[in-house]
């Protein structure tokens, strides 16, 4: 039986905001089960007793466009507390007799709000009389419904927080779910625990059970192919499927020749020997390097690698008779599509190069069990699935591998030099207990040679660039500030031990304006 039928929940009705998944995530973080549904797909009779609270998300529509087929306003007549966020706040006001209009001053970004009245919703939210919140709206409430009161106002939004009849309706014009809103999580916590009075009922274990359950339902008795890279995401997907369907899972690991040092050995050891999965190892090193010969353009490199993957997959998948699905470790921030996850109005998400062209050509249906999760949640899930720390805490590694850490031509000689430099760098981070403080670190080999002097002799060798960044999700990043001693130690190690490098530089740019990878 699926978990969701039994559990008390917070129902999130999605109107297409970019931030809806963040609401879901915040509630999960607070240890409560929630479900997300499109405003077009829910009516009041479908809402059962185990729904303890409803959140109406933001969205790009105008409230006066909300006809009956777009929102069943009877939902607001149920005796369940409702929190409206941004557009959701305007919906609550509109259907209770208030009025909405376009704001004179559209508000995007940080705004100060000032406390005007008490409410359970803002308990401990204001540390002083004012606080900073994140606004993103063009319309606003200009006439409150009867029996509603103002809880807080900003310069441009008189009704920044409101409370309605009998502690049932709450509206916030800003976005408490984004981290830019100071203490935004307190608003959500107050709503779910103090107002809806739901109890904690959600953990990584539940998440695991739910996802295994969903995967089983989706694939039935069919075979699934999984492209394993050895990185966190594909490892977690593979192990989740392994638990769900066991030997009906066929993993394939392709050695592109552009992997980190000893990566292929580790992957085979972990997945074939330790976790006893069906794992096919394909050494395509020669093919990849031949295709990449003399290629210098970053986008062409990526395309060649992507196409080569597709070819190998197509060939391999034909050998697995009855394979109907392809499992991918797509995460929520990777989703390119402009459609929101529930099929509500558009909510564009920054496009990312993680979701490849793999499936389109292959006529396999996709299994993407992690597509609503964020990286840190995937890591927690990985631990729950008994994947060890050495897999879960690994820094991200891009699909095109070392090819995009080697601007210019790719040669076997350069790959070997780079693998070794990267290995020393990562080893030094681990030895100095820095590895887990850094989100991603790597060595790159720049296509320039510089002059050096070693043992009274002139050298003319490559330049090695080290990059180490802190980040939450890879979307933005800052460089990590090492102590001089560490930089000195690793620079000496690389230059003294690797023939081919005589100079080391450290990348001190953030993202933006740079990206994490060089290409
Ligand atoms: P950028 O360079 O865009 O990288 O700042 C952000 C994060 O994404 C990783 N990355 C990739 N991952 N396939 C992947 O699976 C790719 O083509 C790819 N390109 C970049 C990068 O390592 C960083 O973590």
């Amino acid at each position: 039986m699926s978990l969701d039928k039994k559990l008390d929940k917070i129902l999130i009705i999605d109107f297409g905001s970019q931030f809806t998944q963040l609401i879901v995530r915040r509630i999960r973080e607070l240890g409560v089960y929630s479900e997300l549904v499109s405003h077009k797909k829910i009516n009041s009779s479908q809402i059962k007793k185990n729904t303890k609270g409803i959140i109406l998300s933001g969205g790009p529509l105008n409230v006066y466009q909300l006809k009956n087929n777009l929102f069943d306003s009877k939902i607001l007549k149920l005796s369940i507390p409702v929190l409206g966020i941004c557009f959701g706040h305007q919906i609550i006001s509109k259907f209770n007799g208030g009025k909405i209009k376009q704001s004179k001053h559209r508000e995007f970004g940080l705004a100060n709000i000032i406390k005007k009245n008490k409410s359970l919703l803002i308990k401990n939210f204001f540390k002083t009389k004012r606080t900073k919140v994140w606004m993103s709206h063009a319309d606003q409430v200009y006439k409150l419904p009867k029996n509603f009161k103002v809880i807080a106002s900003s310069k441009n939004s008189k009704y920044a927080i409101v409370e309605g009849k009998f502690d049932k309706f709450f509206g916030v014009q800003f976005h408490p779910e984004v981290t830019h809103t100071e203490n935004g999580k307190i608003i959500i916590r107050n709503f779910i625990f103090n107002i809806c009075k739901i109890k904690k009922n959600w953990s990584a274990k539940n998440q695991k059970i739910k996802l295994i359950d969903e995967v089983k339902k989706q694939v039935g008795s069919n075979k699934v192919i999984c492209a394993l890279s050895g990185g966190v995401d594909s490892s977690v997907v593979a192990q989740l499927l392994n638990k769900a369907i066991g030997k009906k899972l066929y993993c394939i690991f392709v050695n592109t020749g552009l992997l980190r040092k000893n990566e292929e050995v580790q992957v085979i050891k972990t997945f074939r020997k330790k976790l006893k999965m069906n794992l096919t190892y394909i050494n395509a090193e020669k093919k990849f390097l031949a295709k990449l010969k003399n290629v210098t353009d970053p986008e062409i490199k990526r395309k060649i690698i992507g196409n080569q993957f597709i070819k190998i997959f197509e060939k391999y998948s034909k050998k697995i008779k009855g394979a109907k699905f392809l499992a991918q470790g797509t995460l929520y921030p990777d989703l390119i599509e402009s459609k929101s996850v529930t099929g509500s109005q558009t909510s564009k998400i920054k496009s990312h190069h993680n979701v490849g062209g793999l499936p389109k050509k292959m006529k396999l249906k996709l299994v993407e069990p992690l597509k609503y999760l964020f990286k840190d949640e995937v890591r927690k899930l990985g631990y729950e699935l008994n994947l060890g720390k050495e897999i879960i805490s690994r820094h991200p590694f891009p699909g095109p591998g070392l090819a995009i850490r080697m601007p210019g031509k790719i040669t076997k000689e350069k790959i070997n030099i780079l693998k070794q430099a990267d290995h020393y760098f990562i080893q030094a981070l681990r030895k100095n207990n820095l590895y887990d403080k850094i989100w991603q670190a790597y060595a790159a080999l720049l296509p320039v040679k510089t002059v050096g002097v070693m043992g009274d002799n002139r050298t003319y060798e490559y330049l090695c660039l080290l990059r180490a960044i802190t980040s939450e999700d890879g979307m933005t990043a800052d460089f990590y500030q090492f102590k001089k001693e560490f930089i000195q130690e690793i620079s000496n190690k690389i230059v003294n031990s690797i023939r081919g490098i005589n100079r080391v530089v450290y990348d001190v740019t953030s993202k933006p304006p740079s990206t994490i990878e060089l290409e």
Side-chain angles (χ1 to χ4, degrees):
M1 190 192 192
S2 66
L3 279 168
D4 30 335
K5 299 234 165 58
K6 295 187 285 186
L7 291 176
D8 282 348
K9 68 184 172 203
I10 300 292
L11 182 71
I12 299 154
I13 303 185
D14 180 31
F15 291 89
S17 161
Q18 287 183 13
F19 305 125
T20 306
Q21 276 297 331
L22 281 178
I23 308 174
V24 183
R25 183 199 158 121
R26 297 288 167 249
I27 297 175
R28 278 202 297 260
E29 278 170 356
L30 290 164
V32 167
Y33 180 62
S34 66
E35 260 176 32
L36 181 62
V37 62
S38 165
H39 62 102
K40 293 181 222 159
K41 293 186 185 151
I42 183 92
N43 64 49
S44 59
S45 64
Q46 291 166 313
I47 298 178
K48 306 286 179 233
K49 260 171 118 183
N50 62 342
T51 297
K52 300 296 173 193
I54 296 172
I55 296 182
L56 309 179
S57 85
L61 290 172
N62 169 292
V63 276
Y64 295 104
Q65 293 172 317
L66 273 190
K67 305 281 178 262
N68 271 346
N69 60 338
L70 289 181
F71 178 58
D72 176 11
S73 58
K74 283 197 214 110
I75 289 172
L76 300 178
K77 300 226 154 61
L78 303 168
S79 49
I80 301 172
V82 185
L83 170 66
I85 294 178
C86 194
F87 180 62
H89 159 60
Q90 295 161 18
I91 294 174
I92 291 178
S93 279
K94 192 232 162 195
F95 286 99
N96 280 293
K99 292 214 161 64
I100 320 301
K101 68 173 180 190
Q102 219 176 36
S103 321
K104 268 199 199 126
H105 307 278
R106 297 188 311 168
E107 283 181 298
F108 291 99
L110 283 178
N112 272 308
I113 57 167
I114 299 167
K115 185 175 166 184
K116 301 280 178 190
N117 269 304
K118 279 189 181 166
S119 166
L120 255 186
L121 188 72
I122 57 161
K123 197 175 166 207
N124 300 324
F125 174 61
F126 284 89
K127 303 298 173 201
T128 61
K129 210 168 177 278
R130 60 181 67 220
T131 190
K132 281 198 175 63
V133 298
W134 184 261
M135 296 274 194
S136 177
H137 68 105
D139 292 351
Q140 64 174 249
V141 177
Y142 80 94
K143 183 172 169 267
L144 264 193
K146 244 190 185 169
N147 301 324
F148 273 55
K149 62 178 178 187
V150 187
I151 307 299
S153 305
S154 75
K155 198 169 144 224
N156 294 319
S157 294
K158 187 170 172 198
Y159 305 120
I161 306 180
V162 303
E163 180 181 323
K165 300 168 202 168
F166 322 117
D167 284 353
K168 197 193 135 181
F169 292 116
F170 299 85
V172 290
Q173 183 53 71
F174 56 90
H175 289 271
E177 68 277 25
V178 306
T179 47
H180 301 77
T181 294
E182 275 175 8
N183 307 312
K185 205 166 163 178
I186 294 178
I187 295 253
I188 295 175
R189 185 189 295 149
N190 286 339
F191 178 70
I192 64 177
F193 293 125
N194 297 336
I195 294 165
C196 304
K197 305 209 183 315
I198 198 165
K199 299 238 165 18
K200 283 192 180 188
N201 60 4
W202 194 245
S203 63
K205 190 173 169 202
N206 297 132
Q207 184 82 56
K208 177 185 80 175
I209 298 170
K210 182 168 185 273
L211 291 174
I212 290 178
D213 198 46
E214 284 172 1
V215 165
K216 278 185 182 165
K217 273 192 200 133
Q218 189 188 354
V219 307
S221 59
N222 291 297
K223 291 175 185 164
V224 181
I225 299 176
C226 177
L228 191 62
S229 72
V232 183
D233 310 339
S234 69
S235 301
V236 172
V237 166
Q239 176 67 337
L240 192 77
L241 273 122
N242 188 30
K243 298 265 180 203
I245 60 169
K247 292 291 173 204
K248 276 183 260 139
L249 172 69
Y250 294 80
C251 290
I252 166 170
F253 175 70
V254 180
N255 182 356
T256 56
L258 298 156
L259 304 172
R260 290 170 283 197
K261 192 175 176 189
N262 292 334
E263 190 144 28
E264 61 280 16
V265 180
Q266 280 167 11
V267 168
I268 292 173
K269 197 167 124 200
T270 308
F271 290 90
R272 197 184 272 166
K273 304 225 167 99
K274 208 169 133 202
L275 300 173
K276 311 264 180 263
M277 289 190 200
N278 276 332
L279 173 71
T280 300
Y281 170 70
I282 296 178
N283 189 350
E285 193 176 348
K286 283 196 181 127
K287 250 187 212 150
F288 275 91
L289 296 193
K291 292 272 176 207
L292 288 165
K293 200 172 172 197
N294 292 328
V295 176
T296 54
D297 183 282
E299 280 310 298
I300 299 179
K301 280 183 187 174
R302 282 176 177 277
K303 280 207 181 98
I304 290 174
I305 294 169
N307 288 339
Q308 210 43 45
F309 262 117
I310 294 172
K311 277 198 183 139
I312 293 171
F313 262 84
E314 277 176 331
K315 202 167 153 198
Y316 170 80
S317 65
K318 279 185 195 140
K319 290 187 190 157
I320 311 293
K321 293 231 157 39
K324 288 248 163 62
F325 291 90
L326 175 76
Q328 283 202 156
T330 315
L331 305 195
Y332 185 65
D334 302 332
L335 293 178
I336 299 173
E337 239 325 302
S338 56
K339 250 189 164 186
S340 85
V341 288
T342 57
S344 296
Q345 257 58 44
T346 53
S347 58
K348 270 213 183 336
I349 297 154
K350 180 187 180 288
S351 71
H352 192 260
H353 28 206
N354 201 20
V355 192
L358 218 51
K360 265 188 227 146
K361 290 194 167 187
M362 289 183 57
K363 296 194 184 106
L364 290 170
K365 285 186 200 147
L366 276 185
V367 187
E368 296 178 304
L370 311 182
K371 73 175 173 192
Y372 300 145
L373 301 189
F374 291 80
K375 193 91 179 176
D376 56 321
E377 295 181 296
V378 172
R379 291 205 161 107
K380 279 190 200 137
L381 178 66
Y383 284 119
E384 198 55 49
L385 287 160
N386 297 326
L387 286 175
K389 188 170 184 294
E390 68 283 6
I391 295 176
I392 301 304
S393 65
R394 281 189 103 183
H395 290 173
F397 187 66
L402 300 183
I404 56 170
R405 293 178 177 175
M406 193 186 298
K409 287 183 191 172
I410 296 167
T411 64
K412 184 80 186 149
E413 181 219 5
K414 281 162 92 180
I415 293 173
N416 288 340
I417 293 175
L418 179 53
K419 274 192 182 180
Q420 197 55 41
D422 188 70
H423 176 66
Y424 284 145
F425 186 31
I426 300 301
Q427 228 180 13
L429 292 176
R430 289 197 189 277
K431 192 182 101 195
N432 289 279
N433 289 325
L434 292 170
Y435 188 81
D436 293 330
K437 294 185 181 142
I438 287 167
W439 199 80
Q440 190 171 8
Y442 66 84
L445 201 66
L446 301 188
V448 275
K449 287 192 172 180
T450 68
V451 174
V453 52
M454 284 173 103
D456 295 334
N457 285 319
R458 179 186 193 266
T459 57
Y460 186 55
E461 294 176 342
Y462 288 115
L463 189 61
C464 172
L465 173 142
L466 301 180
R467 184 127 169 89
I469 53 110
T470 53
S471 177
E472 272 203 17
D473 49 18
M475 303 285 198
T476 57
D478 200 1
F479 73 92
Y480 187 81
Q481 276 201 329
F482 290 116
K483 292 208 168 103
K484 186 184 170 199
E485 295 73 34
F486 177 82
I487 285 283
Q488 217 157 29
E489 177 193 323
I490 183 61
S491 159
N492 285 343
K493 175 80 184 168
I494 289 175
V495 171
N496 292 338
S497 324
I498 304 175
R499 277 278 172 91
I501 295 177
N502 68 353
R503 195 178 293 265
V504 173
V505 292
Y506 184 53
D507 187 338
V508 294
T509 40
S510 56
K511 172 184 176 178
S514 290
T515 53
I516 296 174
E517 301 293 343
L518 295 193
E519 294 191 326

